[in-house]
Amino acid sequence: AEMAMRPGPVLDGALQVVNEFSRQLEPDVRDAQAERAIDSSEVAEQLAFELGSYLSLANAQFAVSHESQPIDRARRALKRRIAAATTGA
C-alpha cells in the first residue's frame, strides 16, 4: 500500500512483476483446458488470478514469518481450487 502512494520506477517495477506472474499462469490454464484437464467453462484469466493470489499471499506471509504454515495453506487451497476446476476426465 505504501508503494502505491509513491509513483515511480519502484512501483512500476513491482506492478510489472505482479502482472507478469499472472500472465505466466494463464497460458498454463489454457493448456490444461486444451488437454481437457480443466473445464472449458472456467475463465482462464480468473482461474490464473485465483491461483496466483494463493501463491503470492503465501510467499508474502512466508517472507515475513519464515514459517511453513502459509505454504501449507496455499498448497491446500490450490488443490481444492484445481479440483473444483477439473473436468473429471
Side-chain angles (χ1 to χ4, degrees):
E2 185 175 334
M3 256 194 296
M5 297 170 59
R6 298 181 182 183
V10 173
L11 175 61
D12 294 344
L15 288 173
Q16 184 177 358
V17 168
V18 169
N19 290 334
E20 183 62 28
F21 185 66
S22 289
R23 282 193 293 268
Q24 288 179 359
L25 290 173
E26 192 175 337
D28 294 333
V29 171
R30 291 188 193 286
D31 288 346
Q33 286 176 317
E35 295 170 3
R36 296 186 177 168
I38 298 291
D39 195 291
S40 62
S41 68
E42 288 284 343
V43 177
E45 184 177 15
Q46 179 65 33
L47 181 56
F49 175 84
E50 291 175 30
L51 299 178
S53 295
Y54 296 141
L55 295 168
S56 293
L57 182 58
N59 183 58
Q61 289 181 343
F62 176 77
V64 172
S65 70
H66 302 287
E67 294 181 10
S68 64
Q69 188 178 32
I71 304 301
D72 296 336
R73 286 183 171 168
R75 185 177 292 117
R76 287 191 302 273
L78 288 163
K79 285 180 179 180
R80 273 196 304 271
R81 183 62 183 99
I82 291 169
T86 60
T87 61

